[in-house]
C-alpha cells in the first residue's frame, strides 16, 4: 500500500530470555494445554538457526552505538531495495 507511513523501530540489544518453562509465565495462558508449548518448543528446536544471535551487552558504549547505527543503515537499505521504499 503506497499510502501507508513506514515506521522503522530498531532496538539493538541482546536477545530476550523467555522464561516459558516457569509457572508464572505459563499462568498467563489460562487454559492453553501444555501440548501447545511442546509443539512450539519442537518447532523452535527443529528450525534453530546455524548462527548465534548477536549480543551487544558486553560491547563498549561506542561499539553499541556503532552496532545500532549499522542495524539502522541495513534496515533502511533493505526497505529501499526489497520493499521499494525511498
Amino acid at each position: 500500500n503506497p499510502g501507508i507511513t513506514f515506521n522503522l523501530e530498531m532496538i539493538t540489544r541482546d536477545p530476550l530470555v523467555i522464561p516459558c518453562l516457569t509457572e508464572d509465565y505459563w499462568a498467563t495462558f489460562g487454559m492453553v494445554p501444555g501440548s501447545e508449548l511442546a509443539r512450539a518448543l519442537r518447532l523452535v528446536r527443529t528450525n534453530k538457526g546455524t548462527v548465534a544471535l548477536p549480543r551487544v551487552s558486553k560491547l563498549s558504549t561506542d561499539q553499541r552505538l556503532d552496532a545500532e547505527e549499522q542495524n539502522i543503515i541495513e534496515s533502511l537499505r533493505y526497505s529501499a531495495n526489497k520493499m521499494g521504499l525511498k
Side-chain angles (χ1 to χ4, degrees):
N1 180 354
I4 64 168
T5 300
F6 178 71
N7 182 26
L8 171 65
E9 180 177 346
M10 173 54 55
I11 301 172
T12 302
R13 59 175 160 84
D14 287 357
L16 292 176
V17 175
I18 309 297
C20 64
L21 299 178
T22 65
E23 287 186 36
D24 288 343
Y25 180 85
W26 194 241
T28 64
F29 290 95
M31 299 304 294
V32 176
S35 60
E36 289 299 315
L37 174 62
R39 186 180 62 78
L41 288 175
R42 199 168 38 254
L43 178 70
V44 169
R45 289 175 179 153
T46 300
N47 296 291
K48 97 176 167 180
T50 57
V51 177
L53 295 173
R55 300 189 183 273
V56 297
S57 60
K58 296 191 181 195
L59 300 176
S60 71
T61 299
D62 286 342
Q63 289 171 321
R64 279 189 300 237
L65 290 172
D66 288 343
E68 182 159 10
E69 183 174 10
Q70 189 59 42
N71 283 339
I72 292 169
I73 290 168
E74 289 178 21
S75 295
L76 291 173
R77 186 177 297 126
Y78 179 90
S79 301
N81 295 338
K82 301 291 185 180
M83 300 170 69
L85 301 175
K86 303 287 177 192

